[in-house]
Amino acid sequence: MKNGKIMAVWTAAAALAVVSAAKADVGTTAEQLSLTAPVSNAPVYFDAAAPRRPLMKLLDSAGLGKSLDEAGINIYGYAEMGVTFYADHGDTKGQAGRSFDANNQDPTFNALDLAIERVVDSTKNKFDVGFKVEGTFGSDATLIHGTGLFDSQHAYGDNEFDPVNAYVDLAVPVGNGLLVRLGKFVTPCGVETIDSTKTPFYSRGFLFNYAIPLTHTGALALYNLSSEWVVGGGIIRGWSDALEDKNGSISVLGEANWKSASGNSAVKTTIIIGPELPDNSAAYRYLADVVYTQKLSDQWKVALEGDLGWDSSKGGVEGANEGLWFGGAGYATWTVSNMFDINGRLEYFNDSQGTRGLVTADGAGTNVYDATLGVTITPFPTDDVGSNLKIRPELRYDYSQDAIFGDNNNQLSVAISGYFTF
């Protein structure tokens, strides 16, 4: 597919966004940013306080909503589809450096996700029990399986099932409040996450794909030092390990999270240390992930992410060459109206030693850059049901120090996706 055709698709998508914005009241927004306490598994940049979703409204009409509310239980989900066009790469699958959007010119059913959740507040000075059980079906699930949990599925072709979250939360009345999480949960690392509704773009950046883990299974304790500080730690099986462990050893996860008194600023810090290479319990991996979030106004939100990782051994062989990787990303969101957000991402990732697998055809590591511009359109912002529909066109340019995109060191893509929360 030629660049001219890609630009035509992008221009049409952008025109739709401009038309939508022109019909809206500039300066309003349907979903204000909510910078709540930056506890584990709670993204602090794009996690907005959403109104009651259609599924709970349907349960209200069936007479079940009141009972669920009294029990503190929320049932919700989302469905997402999208398509990506890569310039000059032919009709192929598995574009380098990409994950959920890796297929070229192939309309993709990404996810049908359903969650049942009971949130507990550990600051209430009382014992309480919460939980989250979340499953997703679609092409995204093929890439996020925890080791030993639905490792191999072929019954559904390109679509599979994965239990993204399956944990119990215990609120323990100790001091200012202690939260203990037991089970499988999404990593606290990063700005971007598995859930597309909490991520600004259809495509995920290099940091999400290579620098950080996806999920953990284990035990985590988080203590409220004050209204501004949450600290904690725990033991986990490792990077995306579930019912099995790649090397039979545990890893350690630590967190130190801060938010300002106004709730407009937050810093989320995560450290993970432990053996992560297959069949090698002696070679340790070290990761530090820091996310800084700032709400500048009701219209502007920004975030910065930095990652530094090191494998004490590559290739699963003790004593082999050490491997270092690091990167940074910046995000900005401008809410033009309740129909129209503009999102930007700039990113750099260094895997020059090939530790994380971002390599050339001959196995050498490289450095990559990403610049992405996208819009999030809410076509029906005032409709109770229609406001849950989001349409997201995006334009992305990737550059690599070496040729990893076929025979090229750059890659241009345009995508359009849509998701509906329910």
Side-chain angles (χ1 to χ4, degrees), residues 241-262:
D241 287 342
L243 298 183
E244 295 180 6
D245 194 287
K246 293 184 289 290
N247 51 44
S249 301
I250 63 171
S251 297
V252 176
L253 184 153
E255 292 190 54
N257 303 317
W258 170 86
K259 68 167 183 175
S260 64
S262 66

PDB file of all heavy atoms in Angstrom, residues 241-262:
ATOM      1  N   ASP A 241       4.070 -14.569  34.405  1.00  0.00           N
ATOM      2  CA  ASP A 241       3.916 -15.963  34.817  1.00  0.00           C
ATOM      3  C   ASP A 241       2.623 -16.101  35.605  1.00  0.00           C
ATOM      4  O   ASP A 241       2.279 -15.229  36.406  1.00  0.00           O
ATOM      5  CB  ASP A 241       5.089 -16.411  35.692  1.00  0.00           C
ATOM      6  CG  ASP A 241       6.364 -16.592  34.887  1.00  0.00           C
ATOM      7  OD1 ASP A 241       6.264 -16.713  33.651  1.00  0.00           O
ATOM      8  OD2 ASP A 241       7.450 -16.617  35.486  1.00  0.00           O
ATOM      9  N   ALA A 242       1.912 -17.214  35.405  1.00  0.00           N
ATOM     10  CA  ALA A 242       0.636 -17.421  36.087  1.00  0.00           C
ATOM     11  C   ALA A 242       0.669 -18.724  36.880  1.00  0.00           C
ATOM     12  O   ALA A 242       1.197 -18.774  37.982  1.00  0.00           O
ATOM     13  CB  ALA A 242      -0.512 -17.417  35.075  1.00  0.00           C
ATOM     14  N   LEU A 243       0.133 -19.805  36.326  1.00  0.00           N
ATOM     15  CA  LEU A 243       0.076 -21.075  37.049  1.00  0.00           C
ATOM     16  C   LEU A 243       1.407 -21.816  37.018  1.00  0.00           C
ATOM     17  O   LEU A 243       1.600 -22.760  37.779  1.00  0.00           O
ATOM     18  CB  LEU A 243      -1.029 -21.959  36.455  1.00  0.00           C
ATOM     19  CG  LEU A 243      -2.446 -21.387  36.554  1.00  0.00           C
ATOM     20  CD1 LEU A 243      -3.452 -22.381  35.994  1.00  0.00           C
ATOM     21  CD2 LEU A 243      -2.797 -21.014  37.983  1.00  0.00           C
ATOM     22  N   GLU A 244       2.298 -21.412  36.151  1.00  0.00           N
ATOM     23  CA  GLU A 244       3.635 -21.995  36.086  1.00  0.00           C
ATOM     24  C   GLU A 244       4.663 -20.870  36.118  1.00  0.00           C
ATOM     25  O   GLU A 244       4.368 -19.729  35.786  1.00  0.00           O
ATOM     26  CB  GLU A 244       3.810 -22.826  34.809  1.00  0.00           C
ATOM     27  CG  GLU A 244       2.914 -24.051  34.733  1.00  0.00           C
ATOM     28  CD  GLU A 244       3.117 -24.833  33.457  1.00  0.00           C
ATOM     29  OE1 GLU A 244       4.047 -24.472  32.682  1.00  0.00           O
ATOM     30  OE2 GLU A 244       2.359 -25.773  33.204  1.00  0.00           O
ATOM     31  N   ASP A 245       5.870 -21.220  36.517  1.00  0.00           N
ATOM     32  CA  ASP A 245       6.964 -20.263  36.542  1.00  0.00           C
ATOM     33  C   ASP A 245       8.051 -20.728  35.587  1.00  0.00           C
ATOM     34  O   ASP A 245       8.367 -21.918  35.547  1.00  0.00           O
ATOM     35  CB  ASP A 245       7.529 -20.118  37.952  1.00  0.00           C
ATOM     36  CG  ASP A 245       8.422 -18.912  38.105  1.00  0.00           C
ATOM     37  OD1 ASP A 245       9.552 -18.959  37.587  1.00  0.00           O
ATOM     38  OD2 ASP A 245       7.997 -17.928  38.721  1.00  0.00           O
ATOM     39  N   LYS A 246       8.639 -19.802  34.848  1.00  0.00           N
ATOM     40  CA  LYS A 246       9.628 -20.171  33.833  1.00  0.00           C
ATOM     41  C   LYS A 246      10.877 -20.806  34.417  1.00  0.00           C
ATOM     42  O   LYS A 246      11.591 -21.544  33.745  1.00  0.00           O
ATOM     43  CB  LYS A 246      10.019 -18.934  33.014  1.00  0.00           C
ATOM     44  CG  LYS A 246       8.905 -18.382  32.148  1.00  0.00           C
ATOM     45  CD  LYS A 246       9.375 -17.220  31.301  1.00  0.00           C
ATOM     46  CE  LYS A 246       9.648 -15.972  32.116  1.00  0.00           C
ATOM     47  NZ  LYS A 246       8.428 -15.349  32.657  1.00  0.00           N
ATOM     48  N   ASN A 247      11.168 -20.472  35.698  1.00  0.00           N
ATOM     49  CA  ASN A 247      12.396 -21.009  36.285  1.00  0.00           C
ATOM     50  C   ASN A 247      12.211 -21.497  37.721  1.00  0.00           C
ATOM     51  O   ASN A 247      13.184 -21.846  38.384  1.00  0.00           O
ATOM     52  CB  ASN A 247      13.507 -19.958  36.233  1.00  0.00           C
ATOM     53  CG  ASN A 247      13.053 -18.625  36.796  1.00  0.00           C
ATOM     54  OD1 ASN A 247      12.406 -18.571  37.835  1.00  0.00           O
ATOM     55  ND2 ASN A 247      13.375 -17.545  36.101  1.00  0.00           N
ATOM     56  N   GLY A 248      10.997 -21.507  38.220  1.00  0.00           N
ATOM     57  CA  GLY A 248      10.724 -22.027  39.557  1.00  0.00           C
ATOM     58  C   GLY A 248      11.130 -21.113  40.691  1.00  0.00           C
ATOM     59  O   GLY A 248      11.131 -21.539  41.851  1.00  0.00           O
ATOM     60  N   SER A 249      11.454 -19.842  40.396  1.00  0.00           N
ATOM     61  CA  SER A 249      11.875 -18.896  41.422  1.00  0.00           C
ATOM     62  C   SER A 249      10.895 -17.727  41.491  1.00  0.00           C
ATOM     63  O   SER A 249      10.183 -17.436  40.528  1.00  0.00           O
ATOM     64  CB  SER A 249      13.283 -18.369  41.121  1.00  0.00           C
ATOM     65  OG  SER A 249      14.207 -19.434  41.064  1.00  0.00           O
ATOM     66  N   ILE A 250      10.895 -17.042  42.618  1.00  0.00           N
ATOM     67  CA  ILE A 250      10.012 -15.892  42.780  1.00  0.00           C
ATOM     68  C   ILE A 250      10.770 -14.599  42.471  1.00  0.00           C
ATOM     69  O   ILE A 250      12.000 -14.553  42.493  1.00  0.00           O
ATOM     70  CB  ILE A 250       9.424 -15.816  44.202  1.00  0.00           C
ATOM     71  CG1 ILE A 250      10.541 -15.616  45.229  1.00  0.00           C
ATOM     72  CG2 ILE A 250       8.603 -17.055  44.501  1.00  0.00           C
ATOM     73  CD1 ILE A 250      10.016 -15.328  46.622  1.00  0.00           C
ATOM     74  N   SER A 251       9.997 -13.555  42.194  1.00  0.00           N
ATOM     75  CA  SER A 251      10.534 -12.209  42.019  1.00  0.00           C
ATOM     76  C   SER A 251       9.910 -11.303  43.066  1.00  0.00           C
ATOM     77  O   SER A 251       8.897 -11.639  43.685  1.00  0.00           O
ATOM     78  CB  SER A 251      10.236 -11.685  40.610  1.00  0.00           C
ATOM     79  OG  SER A 251      10.860 -12.467  39.626  1.00  0.00           O
ATOM     80  N   VAL A 252      10.511 -10.141  43.245  1.00  0.00           N
ATOM     81  CA  VAL A 252      10.035  -9.167  44.224  1.00  0.00           C
ATOM     82  C   VAL A 252       9.566  -7.917  43.495  1.00  0.00           C
ATOM     83  O   VAL A 252      10.235  -7.430  42.574  1.00  0.00           O
ATOM     84  CB  VAL A 252      11.155  -8.802  45.222  1.00  0.00           C
ATOM     85  CG1 VAL A 252      10.683  -7.724  46.187  1.00  0.00           C
ATOM     86  CG2 VAL A 252      11.598 -10.041  45.991  1.00  0.00           C
ATOM     87  N   LEU A 253       8.410  -7.409  43.897  1.00  0.00           N
ATOM     88  CA  LEU A 253       7.845  -6.194  43.319  1.00  0.00           C
ATOM     89  C   LEU A 253       7.675  -5.159  44.421  1.00  0.00           C
ATOM     90  O   LEU A 253       7.133  -5.472  45.487  1.00  0.00           O
ATOM     91  CB  LEU A 253       6.499  -6.491  42.649  1.00  0.00           C
ATOM     92  CG  LEU A 253       5.783  -5.362  41.892  1.00  0.00           C
ATOM     93  CD1 LEU A 253       4.902  -5.937  40.785  1.00  0.00           C
ATOM     94  CD2 LEU A 253       4.909  -4.521  42.827  1.00  0.00           C
ATOM     95  N   GLY A 254       8.141  -3.947  44.189  1.00  0.00           N
ATOM     96  CA  GLY A 254       7.991  -2.869  45.157  1.00  0.00           C
ATOM     97  C   GLY A 254       7.383  -1.638  44.511  1.00  0.00           C
ATOM     98  O   GLY A 254       7.613  -1.369  43.320  1.00  0.00           O
ATOM     99  N   GLU A 255       6.611  -0.874  45.290  1.00  0.00           N
ATOM    100  CA  GLU A 255       5.971   0.338  44.784  1.00  0.00           C
ATOM    101  C   GLU A 255       6.127   1.483  45.771  1.00  0.00           C
ATOM    102  O   GLU A 255       6.102   1.278  46.987  1.00  0.00           O
ATOM    103  CB  GLU A 255       4.475   0.115  44.541  1.00  0.00           C
ATOM    104  CG  GLU A 255       4.147  -0.832  43.415  1.00  0.00           C
ATOM    105  CD  GLU A 255       2.663  -0.808  43.101  1.00  0.00           C
ATOM    106  OE1 GLU A 255       2.118   0.283  42.850  1.00  0.00           O
ATOM    107  OE2 GLU A 255       2.040  -1.890  43.136  1.00  0.00           O
ATOM    108  N   ALA A 256       6.253   2.700  45.228  1.00  0.00           N
ATOM    109  CA  ALA A 256       6.194   3.934  46.008  1.00  0.00           C
ATOM    110  C   ALA A 256       5.451   4.947  45.161  1.00  0.00           C
ATOM    111  O   ALA A 256       5.962   5.380  44.118  1.00  0.00           O
ATOM    112  CB  ALA A 256       7.590   4.436  46.367  1.00  0.00           C
ATOM    113  N   ASN A 257       4.251   5.307  45.573  1.00  0.00           N
ATOM    114  CA  ASN A 257       3.369   6.129  44.763  1.00  0.00           C
ATOM    115  C   ASN A 257       2.940   7.379  45.517  1.00  0.00           C
ATOM    116  O   ASN A 257       2.586   7.314  46.705  1.00  0.00           O
ATOM    117  CB  ASN A 257       2.132   5.331  44.346  1.00  0.00           C
ATOM    118  CG  ASN A 257       2.499   4.065  43.600  1.00  0.00           C
ATOM    119  OD1 ASN A 257       3.372   4.074  42.752  1.00  0.00           O
ATOM    120  ND2 ASN A 257       1.851   2.963  43.946  1.00  0.00           N
ATOM    121  N   TRP A 258       2.975   8.511  44.823  1.00  0.00           N
ATOM    122  CA  TRP A 258       2.644   9.801  45.434  1.00  0.00           C
ATOM    123  C   TRP A 258       1.637  10.535  44.581  1.00  0.00           C
ATOM    124  O   TRP A 258       1.680  10.470  43.339  1.00  0.00           O
ATOM    125  CB  TRP A 258       3.900  10.657  45.564  1.00  0.00           C
ATOM    126  CG  TRP A 258       3.643  12.084  45.948  1.00  0.00           C
ATOM    127  CD1 TRP A 258       3.500  12.593  47.208  1.00  0.00           C
ATOM    128  CD2 TRP A 258       3.505  13.197  45.052  1.00  0.00           C
ATOM    129  NE1 TRP A 258       3.275  13.952  47.154  1.00  0.00           N
ATOM    130  CE2 TRP A 258       3.286  14.346  45.838  1.00  0.00           C
ATOM    131  CE3 TRP A 258       3.549  13.334  43.659  1.00  0.00           C
ATOM    132  CZ2 TRP A 258       3.094  15.623  45.282  1.00  0.00           C
ATOM    133  CZ3 TRP A 258       3.370  14.574  43.089  1.00  0.00           C
ATOM    134  CH2 TRP A 258       3.152  15.704  43.903  1.00  0.00           C
ATOM    135  N   LYS A 259       0.714  11.244  45.241  1.00  0.00           N
ATOM    136  CA  LYS A 259      -0.165  12.179  44.539  1.00  0.00           C
ATOM    137  C   LYS A 259      -0.225  13.462  45.346  1.00  0.00           C
ATOM    138  O   LYS A 259      -0.095  13.460  46.581  1.00  0.00           O
ATOM    139  CB  LYS A 259      -1.577  11.612  44.370  1.00  0.00           C
ATOM    140  CG  LYS A 259      -2.352  11.479  45.669  1.00  0.00           C
ATOM    141  CD  LYS A 259      -3.822  11.228  45.419  1.00  0.00           C
ATOM    142  CE  LYS A 259      -4.589  11.183  46.751  1.00  0.00           C
ATOM    143  NZ  LYS A 259      -6.031  11.067  46.571  1.00  0.00           N
ATOM    144  N   SER A 260      -0.407  14.562  44.658  1.00  0.00           N
ATOM    145  CA  SER A 260      -0.474  15.853  45.335  1.00  0.00           C
ATOM    146  C   SER A 260      -1.801  15.990  46.062  1.00  0.00           C
ATOM    147  O   SER A 260      -2.773  15.275  45.790  1.00  0.00           O
ATOM    148  CB  SER A 260      -0.319  16.983  44.316  1.00  0.00           C
ATOM    149  OG  SER A 260      -1.405  16.981  43.388  1.00  0.00           O
ATOM    150  N   ALA A 261      -1.844  16.922  46.999  1.00  0.00           N
ATOM    151  CA  ALA A 261      -3.070  17.154  47.757  1.00  0.00           C
ATOM    152  C   ALA A 261      -4.219  17.572  46.843  1.00  0.00           C
ATOM    153  O   ALA A 261      -5.386  17.242  47.085  1.00  0.00           O
ATOM    154  CB  ALA A 261      -2.826  18.210  48.835  1.00  0.00           C
ATOM    155  N   SER A 262      -3.901  18.294  45.759  1.00  0.00           N
ATOM    156  CA  SER A 262      -4.929  18.735  44.814  1.00  0.00           C
ATOM    157  C   SER A 262      -5.405  17.604  43.915  1.00  0.00           C
ATOM    158  O   SER A 262      -6.466  17.703  43.292  1.00  0.00           O
ATOM    159  CB  SER A 262      -4.378  19.862  43.941  1.00  0.00           C
ATOM    160  OG  SER A 262      -3.334  19.387  43.104  1.00  0.00           O
TER     161      SER A 262
END
